[in-house]
Short mmCIF file of all heavy atoms in Angstrom, two decimals:
data_model
loop_
_atom_site.label_atom_id
_atom_site.label_comp_id
_atom_site.label_asym_id
_atom_site.label_seq_id
_atom_site.Cartn_x
_atom_site.Cartn_y
_atom_site.Cartn_z
N ASN A 303 -12.72 18.52 -1.61
CA ASN A 303 -12.39 17.48 -2.60
C ASN A 303 -11.18 16.64 -2.23
O ASN A 303 -11.22 15.42 -2.32
CB ASN A 303 -12.14 18.14 -3.97
CG ASN A 303 -13.40 18.77 -4.52
OD1 ASN A 303 -14.48 18.59 -3.97
ND2 ASN A 303 -13.27 19.53 -5.59
N GLU A 425 -6.43 17.66 -9.83
CA GLU A 425 -7.86 17.70 -10.11
C GLU A 425 -8.22 19.07 -10.68
O GLU A 425 -7.90 20.10 -10.07
CB GLU A 425 -8.63 17.48 -8.80
CG GLU A 425 -10.11 17.46 -9.01
CD GLU A 425 -10.88 17.90 -7.79
OE1 GLU A 425 -10.37 18.69 -6.98
OE2 GLU A 425 -12.02 17.44 -7.67
N GLU A 427 -11.40 20.95 -11.37
CA GLU A 427 -12.85 20.87 -11.19
C GLU A 427 -13.58 22.11 -11.66
O GLU A 427 -14.62 22.03 -12.28
CB GLU A 427 -13.17 20.62 -9.71
CG GLU A 427 -14.61 20.18 -9.52
CD GLU A 427 -15.17 20.50 -8.15
OE1 GLU A 427 -14.62 21.37 -7.45
OE2 GLU A 427 -16.17 19.88 -7.78
N PHE A 445 -10.16 15.84 -14.93
CA PHE A 445 -11.11 16.93 -15.22
C PHE A 445 -12.53 16.54 -14.82
O PHE A 445 -12.91 15.36 -14.87
CB PHE A 445 -11.11 17.24 -16.72
CG PHE A 445 -9.89 17.93 -17.21
CD1 PHE A 445 -8.88 17.22 -17.84
CD2 PHE A 445 -9.74 19.30 -17.06
CE1 PHE A 445 -7.73 17.85 -18.31
CE2 PHE A 445 -8.60 19.96 -17.53
CZ PHE A 445 -7.59 19.23 -18.16
N SER A 446 -13.32 17.55 -14.50
CA SER A 446 -14.75 17.32 -14.23
C SER A 446 -15.56 17.72 -15.45
O SER A 446 -15.13 18.51 -16.29
CB SER A 446 -15.20 18.16 -13.03
OG SER A 446 -15.19 19.54 -13.39
N LYS A 447 -16.79 17.20 -15.48
CA LYS A 447 -17.76 17.60 -16.51
C LYS A 447 -18.00 19.11 -16.42
O LYS A 447 -18.10 19.80 -17.42
CB LYS A 447 -19.05 16.81 -16.26
CG LYS A 447 -20.21 17.16 -17.14
CD LYS A 447 -21.43 16.34 -16.71
CE LYS A 447 -22.65 16.77 -17.48
NZ LYS A 447 -23.87 16.11 -17.00
N HIS A 448 -18.09 19.59 -15.18
CA HIS A 448 -18.35 21.01 -14.95
C HIS A 448 -17.28 21.88 -15.65
O HIS A 448 -17.59 22.87 -16.30
CB HIS A 448 -18.37 21.28 -13.44
CG HIS A 448 -18.48 22.72 -13.07
ND1 HIS A 448 -19.64 23.42 -13.23
CD2 HIS A 448 -17.57 23.60 -12.56
CE1 HIS A 448 -19.45 24.67 -12.84
NE2 HIS A 448 -18.19 24.80 -12.43
N CYS A 473 -11.87 12.58 -17.95
CA CYS A 473 -12.98 13.52 -17.76
C CYS A 473 -14.21 12.69 -17.39
O CYS A 473 -14.72 11.93 -18.21
CB CYS A 473 -13.21 14.33 -19.03
SG CYS A 473 -14.49 15.59 -18.84
N ALA A 474 -14.66 12.82 -16.14
CA ALA A 474 -15.83 12.07 -15.65
C ALA A 474 -17.09 12.78 -16.11
O ALA A 474 -17.12 14.02 -16.18
CB ALA A 474 -15.78 11.96 -14.13
N TRP A 475 -18.12 12.00 -16.44
CA TRP A 475 -19.33 12.61 -17.01
C TRP A 475 -20.58 11.96 -16.42
O TRP A 475 -21.38 11.34 -17.14
CB TRP A 475 -19.29 12.49 -18.54
CG TRP A 475 -19.99 13.61 -19.24
CD1 TRP A 475 -21.33 13.66 -19.52
CD2 TRP A 475 -19.42 14.83 -19.76
NE1 TRP A 475 -21.62 14.85 -20.18
CE2 TRP A 475 -20.46 15.57 -20.34
CE3 TRP A 475 -18.13 15.35 -19.78
CZ2 TRP A 475 -20.26 16.82 -20.93
CZ3 TRP A 475 -17.93 16.60 -20.37
CH2 TRP A 475 -18.99 17.31 -20.94
N GLY A 476 -20.71 12.03 -15.08
CA GLY A 476 -21.92 11.57 -14.39
C GLY A 476 -22.34 10.18 -14.81
O GLY A 476 -21.51 9.26 -14.89
N GLU A 477 -23.63 10.01 -15.10
CA GLU A 477 -24.16 8.66 -15.37
C GLU A 477 -23.75 8.12 -16.74
O GLU A 477 -24.07 7.00 -17.09
CB GLU A 477 -25.69 8.61 -15.18
CG GLU A 477 -26.50 9.50 -16.07
CD GLU A 477 -26.58 10.94 -15.56
OE1 GLU A 477 -25.93 11.28 -14.54
OE2 GLU A 477 -27.28 11.74 -16.20
N LEU A 478 -22.99 8.93 -17.52
CA LEU A 478 -22.46 8.39 -18.79
C LEU A 478 -21.08 7.74 -18.59
O LEU A 478 -20.49 7.22 -19.53
CB LEU A 478 -22.35 9.50 -19.85
CG LEU A 478 -23.67 10.09 -20.32
CD1 LEU A 478 -23.43 11.08 -21.47
CD2 LEU A 478 -24.63 8.99 -20.79
N GLY A 479 -20.55 7.81 -17.38
CA GLY A 479 -19.25 7.19 -17.11
C GLY A 479 -18.11 8.19 -17.25
O GLY A 479 -18.25 9.34 -16.81
N ALA A 480 -17.01 7.77 -17.87
CA ALA A 480 -15.85 8.66 -17.97
C ALA A 480 -15.06 8.34 -19.23
O ALA A 480 -15.10 7.21 -19.75
CB ALA A 480 -14.96 8.49 -16.74
N TRP A 481 -14.34 9.33 -19.69
CA TRP A 481 -13.47 9.20 -20.85
C TRP A 481 -12.04 9.51 -20.42
O TRP A 481 -11.83 10.23 -19.42
CB TRP A 481 -13.90 10.17 -21.96
CG TRP A 481 -15.06 9.68 -22.77
CD1 TRP A 481 -15.00 9.14 -24.04
CD2 TRP A 481 -16.45 9.69 -22.42
NE1 TRP A 481 -16.26 8.80 -24.47
CE2 TRP A 481 -17.18 9.12 -23.49
CE3 TRP A 481 -17.18 10.07 -21.28
CZ2 TRP A 481 -18.55 8.96 -23.49
CZ3 TRP A 481 -18.56 9.91 -21.27
CH2 TRP A 481 -19.23 9.36 -22.36
N SER A 492 -15.17 4.37 -20.33
CA SER A 492 -15.80 3.36 -19.48
C SER A 492 -17.23 3.82 -19.22
O SER A 492 -17.45 5.00 -18.93
CB SER A 492 -15.08 3.23 -18.13
OG SER A 492 -15.89 2.49 -17.24
N PRO A 493 -18.19 2.91 -19.31
CA PRO A 493 -19.55 3.30 -18.91
C PRO A 493 -19.62 3.46 -17.40
O PRO A 493 -18.72 3.01 -16.68
CB PRO A 493 -20.40 2.09 -19.35
CG PRO A 493 -19.44 0.93 -19.34
CD PRO A 493 -18.08 1.49 -19.68
N ALA A 494 -20.69 4.09 -16.94
CA ALA A 494 -20.94 4.14 -15.48
C ALA A 494 -21.47 2.78 -15.05
O ALA A 494 -21.98 2.02 -15.87
CB ALA A 494 -21.94 5.24 -15.17
N PHE A 495 -21.31 2.48 -13.78
CA PHE A 495 -21.82 1.22 -13.22
C PHE A 495 -22.91 1.60 -12.23
O PHE A 495 -22.64 2.08 -11.13
CB PHE A 495 -20.69 0.45 -12.52
CG PHE A 495 -19.67 -0.07 -13.50
CD1 PHE A 495 -18.70 0.77 -14.03
CD2 PHE A 495 -19.71 -1.39 -13.93
CE1 PHE A 495 -17.77 0.30 -14.96
CE2 PHE A 495 -18.80 -1.87 -14.86
CZ PHE A 495 -17.82 -1.03 -15.36
N SER A 496 -24.16 1.42 -12.64
CA SER A 496 -25.27 1.89 -11.80
C SER A 496 -25.43 1.00 -10.58
O SER A 496 -25.44 -0.22 -10.71
CB SER A 496 -26.57 1.87 -12.60
OG SER A 496 -26.45 2.75 -13.68
N PRO A 497 -25.59 1.61 -9.42
CA PRO A 497 -25.88 0.80 -8.22
C PRO A 497 -27.32 0.30 -8.29
O PRO A 497 -28.12 0.81 -9.08
CB PRO A 497 -25.70 1.82 -7.10
CG PRO A 497 -26.00 3.14 -7.71
CD PRO A 497 -25.59 3.05 -9.16
N LEU A 500 -30.00 4.21 -6.55
CA LEU A 500 -29.20 5.43 -6.50
C LEU A 500 -29.51 6.16 -5.18
O LEU A 500 -30.64 6.58 -4.96
CB LEU A 500 -29.56 6.30 -7.70
CG LEU A 500 -28.66 7.46 -8.03
CD1 LEU A 500 -27.25 6.98 -8.38
CD2 LEU A 500 -29.23 8.26 -9.19
N ASP A 502 -26.90 8.44 -3.29
CA ASP A 502 -26.19 9.68 -2.97
C ASP A 502 -25.03 9.86 -3.95
O ASP A 502 -24.07 9.09 -3.91
CB ASP A 502 -25.68 9.59 -1.52
CG ASP A 502 -24.85 10.80 -1.10
OD1 ASP A 502 -24.85 11.81 -1.82
OD2 ASP A 502 -24.19 10.71 -0.04
N THR A 503 -25.15 10.86 -4.81
CA THR A 503 -24.07 11.07 -5.79
C THR A 503 -23.06 12.12 -5.32
O THR A 503 -22.06 12.37 -6.01
CB THR A 503 -24.62 11.51 -7.17
OG1 THR A 503 -25.32 12.73 -7.00
CG2 THR A 503 -25.52 10.46 -7.77
N LEU A 504 -23.29 12.73 -4.16
CA LEU A 504 -22.35 13.74 -3.67
C LEU A 504 -21.00 13.08 -3.38
O LEU A 504 -20.94 12.09 -2.67
CB LEU A 504 -22.91 14.39 -2.39
CG LEU A 504 -22.17 15.64 -1.92
CD1 LEU A 504 -22.32 16.77 -2.92
CD2 LEU A 504 -22.69 16.07 -0.55
N GLY A 505 -19.95 13.62 -3.97
CA GLY A 505 -18.62 13.02 -3.76
C GLY A 505 -18.29 11.94 -4.78
O GLY A 505 -17.24 11.30 -4.69
N ALA A 506 -19.16 11.75 -5.79
CA ALA A 506 -18.88 10.71 -6.81
C ALA A 506 -17.59 11.04 -7.54
O ALA A 506 -16.76 10.16 -7.81
CB ALA A 506 -20.04 10.59 -7.79
N GLY A 507 -17.41 12.32 -7.88
CA GLY A 507 -16.20 12.72 -8.61
C GLY A 507 -14.94 12.50 -7.78
O GLY A 507 -13.91 12.05 -8.29
N ASP A 508 -15.02 12.81 -6.49
CA ASP A 508 -13.85 12.61 -5.61
C ASP A 508 -13.54 11.12 -5.47
O ASP A 508 -12.38 10.72 -5.35
CB ASP A 508 -14.13 13.21 -4.23
CG ASP A 508 -14.42 14.70 -4.31
OD1 ASP A 508 -13.85 15.36 -5.19
OD2 ASP A 508 -15.23 15.19 -3.50
N THR A 509 -14.59 10.29 -5.47
CA THR A 509 -14.41 8.84 -5.38
C THR A 509 -13.79 8.33 -6.68
O THR A 509 -12.87 7.48 -6.66
CB THR A 509 -15.76 8.16 -5.12
OG1 THR A 509 -16.35 8.75 -3.97
CG2 THR A 509 -15.60 6.67 -4.91
N PHE A 510 -14.27 8.84 -7.81
CA PHE A 510 -13.68 8.48 -9.10
C PHE A 510 -12.18 8.80 -9.10
O PHE A 510 -11.35 7.97 -9.50
CB PHE A 510 -14.40 9.26 -10.22
CG PHE A 510 -13.79 9.08 -11.57
CD1 PHE A 510 -14.19 8.04 -12.40
CD2 PHE A 510 -12.79 9.94 -12.03
CE1 PHE A 510 -13.60 7.85 -13.66
CE2 PHE A 510 -12.20 9.76 -13.27
CZ PHE A 510 -12.61 8.72 -14.08
N ASN A 511 -11.83 9.99 -8.61
CA ASN A 511 -10.41 10.38 -8.59
C ASN A 511 -9.58 9.43 -7.72
O ASN A 511 -8.46 9.06 -8.08
CB ASN A 511 -10.26 11.82 -8.08
CG ASN A 511 -10.84 12.84 -9.05
OD1 ASN A 511 -11.11 12.50 -10.21
ND2 ASN A 511 -11.06 14.06 -8.60
N ILE A 528 -9.80 3.58 -15.72
CA ILE A 528 -11.13 4.26 -15.75
C ILE A 528 -12.25 3.28 -15.44
O ILE A 528 -13.24 3.67 -14.83
CB ILE A 528 -11.49 5.06 -17.03
CG1 ILE A 528 -11.16 4.36 -18.30
CG2 ILE A 528 -11.00 6.46 -16.99
CD1 ILE A 528 -11.87 5.06 -19.48
N ASN A 529 -12.10 2.02 -15.85
CA ASN A 529 -13.14 1.04 -15.50
C ASN A 529 -13.26 0.92 -13.98
O ASN A 529 -14.35 0.96 -13.42
CB ASN A 529 -12.81 -0.34 -16.06
CG ASN A 529 -13.07 -0.43 -17.55
OD1 ASN A 529 -13.67 0.47 -18.13
ND2 ASN A 529 -12.61 -1.49 -18.17
N ALA A 531 -12.25 3.05 -11.68
CA ALA A 531 -12.71 4.30 -11.06
C ALA A 531 -14.23 4.45 -11.20
O ALA A 531 -14.92 4.88 -10.26
CB ALA A 531 -11.97 5.49 -11.68
N CYS A 532 -14.77 4.07 -12.36
CA CYS A 532 -16.23 4.15 -12.56
C CYS A 532 -16.95 3.13 -11.69
O CYS A 532 -18.03 3.42 -11.16
CB CYS A 532 -16.58 3.96 -14.03
SG CYS A 532 -16.24 5.40 -15.04
N GLN A 533 -16.39 1.94 -11.55
CA GLN A 533 -17.03 0.93 -10.68
C GLN A 533 -17.07 1.42 -9.24
O GLN A 533 -18.08 1.31 -8.55
CB GLN A 533 -16.26 -0.39 -10.74
CG GLN A 533 -16.53 -1.18 -12.01
CD GLN A 533 -15.67 -2.44 -12.06
OE1 GLN A 533 -15.41 -3.07 -11.05
NE2 GLN A 533 -15.22 -2.77 -13.24
N LEU A 534 -15.93 1.97 -8.80
CA LEU A 534 -15.85 2.44 -7.41
C LEU A 534 -16.84 3.59 -7.18
O LEU A 534 -17.57 3.60 -6.18
CB LEU A 534 -14.41 2.91 -7.13
CG LEU A 534 -14.07 3.28 -5.70
CD1 LEU A 534 -14.08 2.05 -4.80
CD2 LEU A 534 -12.69 3.95 -5.63
N ALA A 535 -16.87 4.55 -8.12
CA ALA A 535 -17.78 5.69 -7.97
C ALA A 535 -19.24 5.23 -8.05
O ALA A 535 -20.09 5.74 -7.31
CB ALA A 535 -17.47 6.74 -9.06
N GLY A 536 -19.52 4.26 -8.91
CA GLY A 536 -20.88 3.73 -9.02
C GLY A 536 -21.32 3.08 -7.72
O GLY A 536 -22.44 3.28 -7.25
N HIS A 537 -20.44 2.29 -7.11
CA HIS A 537 -20.74 1.67 -5.81
C HIS A 537 -21.04 2.74 -4.77
O HIS A 537 -21.98 2.61 -3.99
CB HIS A 537 -19.57 0.82 -5.33
CG HIS A 537 -19.63 -0.58 -5.83
ND1 HIS A 537 -20.12 -1.62 -5.11
CD2 HIS A 537 -19.25 -1.09 -7.02
CE1 HIS A 537 -20.06 -2.72 -5.83
NE2 HIS A 537 -19.52 -2.43 -6.99
N LYS A 538 -20.20 3.78 -4.77
CA LYS A 538 -20.40 4.87 -3.80
C LYS A 538 -21.80 5.48 -3.96
O LYS A 538 -22.45 5.81 -2.97
CB LYS A 538 -19.29 5.93 -3.99
CG LYS A 538 -19.33 7.07 -3.00
CD LYS A 538 -19.90 8.28 -3.63
CE LYS A 538 -20.98 9.01 -2.98
NZ LYS A 538 -21.73 8.59 -1.87
N CYS A 539 -22.26 5.62 -5.21
CA CYS A 539 -23.56 6.25 -5.46
C CYS A 539 -24.72 5.43 -4.87
O CYS A 539 -25.81 5.94 -4.69
CB CYS A 539 -23.78 6.45 -6.96
SG CYS A 539 -22.68 7.67 -7.68
N GLY A 540 -24.46 4.18 -4.57
CA GLY A 540 -25.49 3.34 -3.96
C GLY A 540 -25.46 3.38 -2.44
O GLY A 540 -26.19 2.64 -1.78
P1 ADP B 295 -19.04 15.03 -9.70
O1 ADP B 295 -19.23 14.43 -8.34
O2 ADP B 295 -17.75 15.80 -9.81
O3 ADP B 295 -20.23 15.80 -10.22
P2 ADP B 295 -19.68 13.06 -11.77
O4 ADP B 295 -21.15 13.33 -11.58
O5 ADP B 295 -19.10 13.34 -13.13
O6 ADP B 295 -18.77 13.78 -10.68
O7 ADP B 295 -19.43 11.51 -11.42
C1 ADP B 295 -18.15 10.94 -11.32
C2 ADP B 295 -18.26 9.47 -11.63
O8 ADP B 295 -19.20 8.87 -10.73
C3 ADP B 295 -18.79 9.16 -13.03
O9 ADP B 295 -17.72 9.05 -13.98
C4 ADP B 295 -19.51 7.83 -12.83
O10 ADP B 295 -18.58 6.78 -12.97
C5 ADP B 295 -19.98 7.89 -11.39
N1 ADP B 295 -21.39 8.29 -11.32
C6 ADP B 295 -21.90 9.53 -11.18
N2 ADP B 295 -23.26 9.52 -11.19
C7 ADP B 295 -23.60 8.23 -11.34
C8 ADP B 295 -24.86 7.52 -11.42
N3 ADP B 295 -26.02 8.18 -11.38
N4 ADP B 295 -24.82 6.18 -11.58
C9 ADP B 295 -23.65 5.51 -11.62
N5 ADP B 295 -22.45 6.10 -11.55
C10 ADP B 295 -22.42 7.44 -11.42
#
Side-chain angles (χ1 to χ4, degrees):
N303 294 351
E425 182 207 28
E427 194 206 20
F445 288 100
S446 69
K447 175 183 175 186
H448 174 72
C473 184
W475 210 275
E477 61 278 4
L478 294 185
W481 279 257
S492 167
F495 292 79
S496 298
L500 193 62
D502 176 12
T503 60
L504 191 65
D508 300 327
T509 306
F510 174 89
N511 292 346
I528 44 166
N529 284 350
C532 284
Q533 283 176 36
L534 187 68
H537 272 262
K538 183 257 129 349
C539 292

